[in-house]
């Protein structure tokens, strides 16, 4: 696996692409306690600056965690395409009506009582650092390359990994 550390613009494009493709992450908060608090969250949007947006309930544990310490880790994983990205950032709770209306969809009614639900908040994550693993091919091709490498002893390029300097 080759290492490719990307800087600013390339890094931002790579992060946006992977987050938009994968969509759901484990949203980790409360780093000071064990076990860590981790909940699955679906990305609402990655804006042009690279901020990642989610919806959350005002009374949720992770909103409470963010109010105490805004460090978060987002762990995105797509095992079918063998793509993974870990994003560290700073989170803030947003209640701006314009933001809520911009990202709200009818499917969100499964968790909220409409866009005017007083418990509806948006979480904005400003990424500070990320690390990715991208095998470029699907799982089947990757396993074939690994098998061929085991038989022949030749190293096969099964993808890339690297730090995204955001």
């Amino acid at each position: 696996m080759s290492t490719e550390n990307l800087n600013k613009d390339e890094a931002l494009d790579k992060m946006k692409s992977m987050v938009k493709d994968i969509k759901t992450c484990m949203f980790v908060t409360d780093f000071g306690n064990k076990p860590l608090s981790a909940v699955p969250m679906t990305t609402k949007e990655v804006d042009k600056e690279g901020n990642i947006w989610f919806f959350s309930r005002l009374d949720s544990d992770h909103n409470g965690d963010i109010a105490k310490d805004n460090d978060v880790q987002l762990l995105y994983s797509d095992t079918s395409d063998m793509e993974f990205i870990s994003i560290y950032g700073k989170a803030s709770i947003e209640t701006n009506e314009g933001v809520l209306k911009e990202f709200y969809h009818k499917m969100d009614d499964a968790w909220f009582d409409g866009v005017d639900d007083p418990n509806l908040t948006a979480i904005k994550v400003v990424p500070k650092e990320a690390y990715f693993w991208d095998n470029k091919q699907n799982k089947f091709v990757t396993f074939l390359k690994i098998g061929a490498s085991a038989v022949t002893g030749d190293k096969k390029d099964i993808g890339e990994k690297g730090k995204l300097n955001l």
Side-chain angles (χ1 to χ4, degrees), residues 104-138:
Y104 200 87
H105 298 288
K106 186 69 177 157
M107 288 179 56
D108 295 316
D109 287 345
W111 293 273
F112 303 100
D113 294 327
V115 72
D116 296 321
D117 185 332
N119 232 348
L120 173 64
T121 67
I123 298 175
K124 174 184 176 183
V125 175
V126 178
K128 298 296 182 188
E129 186 176 300
Y131 201 87
F132 75 97
W133 300 262
D134 184 354
N135 285 355
K136 296 189 230 177
Q137 293 100 9
N138 66 31

Side-chain angles (χ1 to χ4, degrees), residues 93-109:
I93 307 298
E94 305 285 334
T95 56
N96 177 290
E97 186 178 331
V99 168
L100 300 178
K101 286 184 177 181
E102 178 181 352
F103 299 133
Y104 200 87
H105 298 288
K106 186 69 177 157
M107 288 179 56
D108 295 316
D109 287 345

Side-chain angles (χ1 to χ4, degrees), residues 142-156:
T142 300
F143 287 139
L144 285 178
K145 285 184 173 185
I146 291 170
S149 180
V151 170
T152 65
D154 294 334
K155 299 281 186 210
K156 302 292 181 195

Side-chain angles (χ1 to χ4, degrees), residues 11 29-30 59 63 131 147 159:
T29 58
D30 199 16
D59 60 0
N63 274 36
Y131 201 87

Side-chain angles (χ1 to χ4, degrees), residues 25-42:
C25 70
M26 291 304 291
F27 192 104
V28 182
T29 58
D30 199 16
F31 296 172
N33 287 317
K34 293 181 185 175
L36 296 173
S37 177
V39 295
M41 300 278 282
T42 301

Side-chain angles (χ1 to χ4, degrees):
M1 182 165 274
S2 61
T3 299
E4 184 178 350
N5 295 324
L6 302 176
N7 289 314
K8 199 63 177 167
D9 291 338
E10 291 176 315
L12 193 55
D13 289 344
K14 180 73 172 177
M15 183 202 71
K16 284 181 181 180
S17 172
M18 292 184 80
V19 169
K20 285 180 180 179
D21 286 349
I22 300 172
K23 284 297 234 195
T24 300
C25 70
M26 291 304 291
F27 192 104
V28 182
T29 58
D30 199 16
F31 296 172
N33 287 317
K34 293 181 185 175
L36 296 173
S37 177
V39 295
M41 300 278 282
T42 301
T43 305
K44 296 302 291 178
E45 182 70 39
V46 181
D47 67 24
K48 63 183 179 207
E49 290 86 28
N51 301 311
I52 305 169
W53 293 87
F54 302 89
F55 275 162
S56 182
R57 296 185 61 80
L58 181 63
D59 60 0
S60 68
D61 289 342
H62 46 278
N63 274 36
D65 292 342
I66 291 167
K68 291 183 277 183
D69 178 2
N70 68 343
D71 289 335
V72 297
Q73 190 86 31
L74 311 177
L75 304 171
Y76 289 87
S77 172
D78 180 355
T79 57
S80 64
D81 284 335
M82 301 299 284
E83 292 182 328
F84 310 90
I85 185 167
S86 172
I87 301 168
Y88 166 78
K90 299 289 187 174
S92 60
I93 307 298
E94 305 285 334
T95 56
N96 177 290
E97 186 178 331
V99 168
L100 300 178
K101 286 184 177 181
E102 178 181 352
F103 299 133
Y104 200 87
H105 298 288
K106 186 69 177 157
M107 288 179 56
D108 295 316
D109 287 345
W111 293 273
F112 303 100
D113 294 327
V115 72
D116 296 321
D117 185 332
N119 232 348
L120 173 64
T121 67
I123 298 175
K124 174 184 176 183
V125 175
V126 178
K128 298 296 182 188
E129 186 176 300
Y131 201 87
F132 75 97
W133 300 262
D134 184 354
N135 285 355
K136 296 189 230 177
Q137 293 100 9
N138 66 31
K139 191 181 337 184
F140 181 70
V141 172
T142 300
F143 287 139
L144 285 178
K145 285 184 173 185
I146 291 170
S149 180
V151 170
T152 65
D154 294 334
K155 299 281 186 210
K156 302 292 181 195
D157 183 11
I158 58 169
E160 60 188 16
K161 63 181 174 69
K163 184 175 180 178
L164 299 179
N165 298 308
L166 304 167

